[in-house]
Amino acid sequence: MLLTAFILLPKRAIILPMLLITVSVAIILFSGSPHKIFWLGLREMRAIIPLIIIISLVSWILTHRPYIKALLKLGKNQVSTPVRFFAVTAGLSHIISSFMAVGGIPFVYQMFKGEKKPAISQDAWDFTLSTAIMRGFTLTVLWTAVHPAFAYVIAGTSAPLLTTMVKGMGLAFIGFIIGILIYLLQKKQMKLPAEITPSMESTGVDEKTEGLAGRFLFWVSLLMGGIILTTQWLNMDILLAVPVIIILVTTVYFLSYRAMHQYKLRWQQLITEGLEKRKREIFLILSAGLLVGTLKETGFGEILFDYFLTAVELLNINILIGLTFVVILLGLAGFPPIPAMVLLSGILVNIPGELPAELIALSLLLGVAVTLVIAPVTVPLLLISGLNGRSMAQNGFRWNIIFGISLLFAGLLYIQFLSWIG
């Protein structure tokens, strides 16, 4: 995988992975460690890569029937104002991305792509639709068990899944309210018209959607409930539980609809085309795993951790705050969220003070949530920019910097409050 990716991927796509590999090699040579550490480093990713691949199976359920159109019909009368449209879009983005991860971004965008009214300017429409999708998406990382970054943080910090999910949902709710309030402020500043609502004409086409909303909620509950039960009652590792439950639920779904032939074709497509599309992401994660394994085996990870503690002490800041800012700094430097979680979960161990593991996990995830909307380059920003034709700087930093900063400070206060009440 490393060799083929190096040959086939564009040069810009291999800059960061090659930097990680180079640093790993330098550490091994400097420490005089055996070369078998390379293999140990690659093994760090033996669970996260299958998880990233298997998550795409959830989209097979969402696209098999017009479930989202059924939800839109239920909410058709709830998008009569720009703020309601923003809230509904952000909510849909949050729900769908909770099960499709980053794939929820183009999914929601395509739902509203042809719904712009002729009287609405393209700038006003793009701003409202894109910011709602991005803000709804970025909050999913705070609590969604199928999100790879969340799953790895839970595994790396040994945080209790259910407790972390509940506390993460609380922060996600706060972030959702902040997102709406920030949009209200920006709407006034940018003098956006009151007509920024979708036409919703496509929801009137003849397609059977009766009862689909309830079925959608059933399969969603089965998926999330299965993950929680297997981790809580069977004590299964979350990195194993998530892909196992996704495969089981997806298989049962297609069996219940007697669509196993279609299920087989989708598996064939995933193997022949899906893995090829994820080559860049897998290459980067393998490179990050190589560095994490090297840091662990050579003892350099403990040295970096000591530097982190020294910096926190010199700056006189809370360790949890320090963790959040480390993630944001890595993101601003171009480090994607999943490799960042892999790296930090492998290095930041034995934190003094007996802090609850769920608060350590939530501090890391808060940094990811902020990074996703303000960093120069992230996969979500690449996707939304490809859809609306705007630059990543406009979709990210310019349109969402106020939201990002507000979420950061609200999240830090929320985590400190949870720490204070014990």
Side-chain angles (χ1 to χ4, degrees):
M1 171 62 73
L2 290 173
L3 183 60
T4 56
F6 177 76
I7 296 172
L8 298 176
L9 287 175
K11 291 183 179 179
R12 290 185 62 184
I14 66 173
I15 292 176
L16 181 57
M18 288 308 300
L19 177 62
L20 297 177
I21 294 172
T22 302
V23 172
S24 301
V25 173
I27 292 174
I28 291 173
L29 294 176
F30 180 77
S31 62
S33 302
H35 293 165
K36 69 176 183 179
I37 288 180
F38 279 109
W39 171 244
L40 296 174
L42 292 175
R43 288 184 60 192
E44 286 289 325
M45 298 297 100
R46 64 186 180 274
I48 198 71
I49 289 178
L51 174 61
I52 292 171
I53 296 170
I54 296 300
I55 279 176
S56 60
L57 271 66
V58 179
S59 66
W60 300 356
I61 295 177
L62 292 177
T63 56
H64 185 248
R65 289 286 187 274
Y67 294 113
I68 306 306
K69 188 164 289 185
L71 294 174
L72 278 177
K73 280 188 176 182
L74 291 177
K76 187 174 182 179
N77 297 326
Q78 305 300 320
V79 291
S80 55
T81 67
V83 176
R84 287 186 177 184
F85 171 49
F86 180 92
V88 168
T89 305
L92 282 172
S93 176
H94 187 79
I95 293 171
I96 295 170
S97 297
S98 295
F99 307 99
M100 290 182 67
V102 74
I105 292 175
F107 192 92
V108 176
Y109 187 89
Q110 294 298 332
M111 286 168 50
F112 293 103
K113 184 178 181 181
E115 303 294 342
K116 186 180 83 69
K117 296 176 181 178
I120 303 175
S121 69
Q122 192 64 45
D123 288 344
W125 177 258
D126 285 346
F127 173 78
T128 300
L129 181 59
S130 300
T131 52
I133 291 173
M134 285 300 298
R135 292 174 193 180
F137 165 79
T138 195
L139 296 173
T140 61
V141 74
L142 296 171
W143 71 274
T144 306
V146 299
H147 197 294
F150 181 93
Y152 201 92
V153 166
I154 294 296
T157 61
S158 299
L161 174 61
L162 191 57
T163 304
T164 308
M165 286 182 66
V166 171
K167 293 180 179 180
M169 287 179 70
L171 181 53
F173 177 77
I174 294 171
F176 193 81
I177 300 301
I178 290 174
I180 296 174
L181 294 176
I182 296 298
Y183 174 73
L184 274 169
L185 176 64
Q186 292 175 315
K187 180 176 176 292
K188 291 181 180 179
Q189 289 180 338
M190 301 173 68
K191 298 180 180 179
L192 299 179
E195 295 80 18
I196 308 178
T197 55
S199 61
M200 302 296 286
E201 293 177 356
S202 63
T203 58
V205 299
D206 293 331
E207 192 169 11
K208 293 182 179 180
T209 59
E210 291 82 2
L212 286 184
R215 295 180 190 178
F216 171 77
L217 294 176
F218 168 76
W219 290 107
V220 164
S221 301
L222 187 62
L223 179 66
M224 296 304 296
I227 293 172
I228 293 173
L229 288 177
T230 52
T231 54
Q232 297 295 308
W233 288 2
L234 301 181
N235 293 321
M236 186 182 294
D237 188 283
I238 188 172
L239 294 178
L240 175 62
V242 172
V244 167
I245 295 300
I246 288 177
I247 292 174
L248 285 176
V249 170
T250 308
T251 304
V252 171
Y253 173 87
F254 280 92
L255 277 172
S256 67
Y257 277 97
R258 298 180 180 178
M260 290 305 292
H261 178 67
Q262 185 179 355
Y263 187 47
K264 180 181 177 181
L265 291 177
R266 288 181 182 252
W267 269 108
Q268 291 175 346
Q269 186 179 18
L270 174 65
I271 294 171
T272 57
E273 300 177 16
L275 295 180
E276 185 69 24
K277 293 178 181 178
R278 292 189 173 273
K279 185 173 291 185
R280 177 180 179 178
E281 187 177 2
I282 293 173
F283 183 39
L284 179 56
I285 291 173
L286 283 173
S287 305
L290 187 62
L291 178 57
V292 171
T294 302
L295 291 171
K296 282 184 177 180
E297 297 299 324
T298 60
F300 273 77
E302 295 181 7
I303 296 174
L304 287 177
F305 181 68
D306 290 338
Y307 280 131
F308 166 75
L309 294 178
T310 302
V312 166
E313 186 177 349
L314 288 174
L315 295 173
N316 194 28
I317 61 175
N318 186 281
I319 291 180
L320 297 175
I321 296 175
L323 290 176
T324 302
F325 277 99
V326 167
V327 176
I328 294 174
L329 289 174
L330 285 173
L332 293 176
F335 222 95
I338 297 175
M341 292 302 95
V342 174
L343 183 64
L344 292 174
S345 297
I347 296 175
L348 301 176
V349 292
N350 300 323
I351 293 179
E354 297 183 355
L355 293 170
E358 65 269 20
L359 295 188
I360 297 173
L362 203 55
S363 298
L364 294 170
L365 294 168
L366 172 62
V368 174
V370 173
T371 299
L372 287 173
V373 291
I374 68 168
V377 180
T378 64
V379 173
L381 288 177
L382 282 169
L383 283 175
I384 199 71
S385 295
L387 292 166
N388 65 15
R390 307 277 175 168
S391 67
M392 284 188 286
Q394 188 170 21
N395 280 311
F397 191 86
R398 293 178 191 172
W399 284 352
N400 286 299
I401 182 60
I402 300 176
F403 167 73
I405 293 175
S406 301
L407 176 63
L408 172 61
F409 283 104
L412 292 176
L413 289 173
Y414 176 79
I415 293 171
Q416 291 306 309
F417 173 75
L418 292 178
S419 176
W420 177 67
I421 63 175

